[in-house]
Amino acid sequence: MNNGGSNPAVRIARIVVESFKLGLPDVRWFVMGDDDTVFFADNLVLVLSKYDHRQMYYFGGSSESVEQDVMHSYGTAFGGGVFARDVRGDAYGLLAAHPMTPLVSLHHLDYIKPLLPNLTNYESLNTLIQTYRLDPPRAMQQSFCYYKTWWHSWSISVSWGYTVQIYPSLLTAQELEIPLQTFLTWMSFKDGPFTFNTRPLLTKPCELPAIYYISHVQEAGNDTITTYTRDKPVRICKKRDYPHTIKTVVVSASKMNPNYWIEIKADLVRRCSYSLNSDLRSSAPARSDET
């Protein structure tokens, strides 16, 4: 910092200090973000409510890109509560395997592809925010289900309000929790290293998941019904057990308790209910641990 105040960081810090000095009544937190950051206000307020606003905290986490941590130190808090912070390219793999934490913000949106196909970044975010508003705590929470008959076995992964993946095979929960490698490192635009495990993108047509994106959401009493549609046909797979005919996926979910992330226990069990077009239905528990 310098005394002249020409450094942007100094000017930003002064804005916060001057806002604090106004002495506004009933104000506990001042939130500041970059112009390429979107905050999910309900979840942000919920997370901040767990802390004493009279104390000092340093929030954040390591960068996803190891090269950034090496350059700026592992002690630097990157992005606050953000999940897609220091990556480039397509953040789909990260957001499709969002950890069991509230979605608080998305950062560096100018440097990643639109989150939904055939839409601009703004249109994608507007769609996701409209869905988020119906059930803020559940936004992008991942759940798993398995559908098995005598001729096929499917693994189903849901990132609520964003995407559904149907794999034409049985994958363990430990595999489904690992993000697909759709993104690159921040500085060097490489495939890694990252500070977490990733799964390589599959190349064989019959191993690729059928991917669906959010297209509609509606309330049904204390439940939400989200509809996901296929973006485009996957590569031709001639196997009979592939989900060729599934054009839409409908997910029915109970609204989460707004205080869920405050009252959460160490051992969690979630249930998901699906309607895969026609009359195909499945309901199965999916277990995840708190992160």
Side-chain angles (χ1 to χ4, degrees):
M1 292 188 176
N2 59 52
N3 294 328
S6 60
N7 189 315
V10 176
R11 295 198 299 270
I12 292 175
R14 286 177 173 172
I15 291 173
V16 176
V17 172
E18 291 170 4
S19 298
F20 174 77
K21 288 181 177 179
L22 290 175
L24 300 174
D26 302 321
V27 173
R28 295 185 177 182
W29 302 93
F30 290 95
V31 177
M32 176 178 61
D34 293 346
D35 55 5
D36 61 351
T37 299
V38 171
F39 290 98
F40 296 84
D42 296 88
N43 290 344
L44 177 59
V45 170
L46 184 66
V47 170
L48 291 177
S49 69
K50 299 170 63 174
Y51 300 91
D52 184 350
H53 67 281
R54 297 166 296 184
Q55 303 298 319
M56 295 186 68
Y57 300 94
Y58 186 55
F59 293 111
S62 299
S63 168
E64 290 90 352
S65 298
V66 170
E67 59 193 19
Q68 286 285 84
D69 293 314
V70 172
M71 180 182 297
H72 300 288
S73 130
Y74 280 89
T76 299
F78 287 81
V82 186
F83 190 56
R85 297 183 299 268
D86 281 341
V87 298
R88 294 181 186 266
D90 189 352
Y92 175 82
L94 284 173
L95 301 181
H98 195 281
M100 282 201 66
T101 54
L103 177 65
V104 173
S105 61
L106 294 174
H107 190 37
H108 285 328
L109 291 172
D110 289 345
Y111 299 93
I112 60 176
K113 294 181 179 179
L115 302 182
L116 295 175
N118 305 317
L119 296 177
T120 65
N121 243 333
Y122 173 80
E123 292 169 336
S124 297
L125 288 168
N126 188 54
T127 299
L128 294 174
I129 288 173
Q130 294 305 316
T131 304
Y132 149 84
R133 285 174 176 166
L134 290 188
D135 194 355
R138 191 177 290 281
M140 289 192 183
Q141 299 308 305
Q142 188 183 24
S143 296
F144 316 123
C145 282
Y146 298 91
Y147 187 82
K148 184 176 177 62
T149 68
W150 66 273
W151 76 87
H152 66 230
S153 299
W154 292 344
S155 302
I156 305 170
S157 174
V158 176
S159 176
W160 185 90
Y162 179 49
T163 188
V164 171
Q165 300 170 335
I166 301 181
Y167 290 84
S169 60
L170 294 180
L171 278 69
T172 65
Q174 288 75 17
E175 291 175 290
L176 293 172
E177 288 176 337
I178 299 176
L180 287 171
Q181 175 73 61
T182 63
F183 41 86
L184 301 173
T185 59
W186 177 255
M187 290 293 293
S188 60
F189 294 78
K190 293 183 178 180
D191 290 332
F194 296 99
T195 54
F196 50 85
N197 295 325
T198 62
R199 284 188 289 144
L201 288 174
L202 303 173
T203 57
K204 295 181 179 179
C206 293
E207 294 180 350
L208 293 171
I211 295 178
Y212 306 77
Y213 291 93
I214 187 69
S215 60
H216 183 69
V217 60
Q218 68 183 72
E219 288 185 297
N222 194 45
D223 297 340
T224 57
I225 299 176
T226 47
T227 303
Y228 308 77
T229 58
R230 180 84 66 87
D231 168 38
K232 57 184 177 181
V234 293
R235 299 178 189 176
I236 297 175
C237 172
K238 297 181 179 180
K239 289 186 178 180
R240 182 185 176 190
D241 60 352
Y242 198 88
H244 297 286
T245 61
I246 308 301
K247 305 300 181 185
T248 62
V249 177
V250 178
V251 178
S252 174
S254 299
K255 290 186 178 181
M256 288 181 66
N257 181 345
N259 295 320
Y260 179 83
W261 296 114
I262 296 177
E263 302 169 354
I264 190 170
K265 303 299 181 182
D267 196 22
L268 302 172
V269 177
R270 291 178 293 171
R271 297 186 64 87
C272 52
S273 175
Y274 300 93
S275 173
L276 308 182
N277 73 357
S278 61
D279 293 322
L280 188 58
R281 294 178 181 274
S282 172
S283 180
R287 181 182 183 279
S288 291
D289 294 323
E290 180 181 7
T291 58

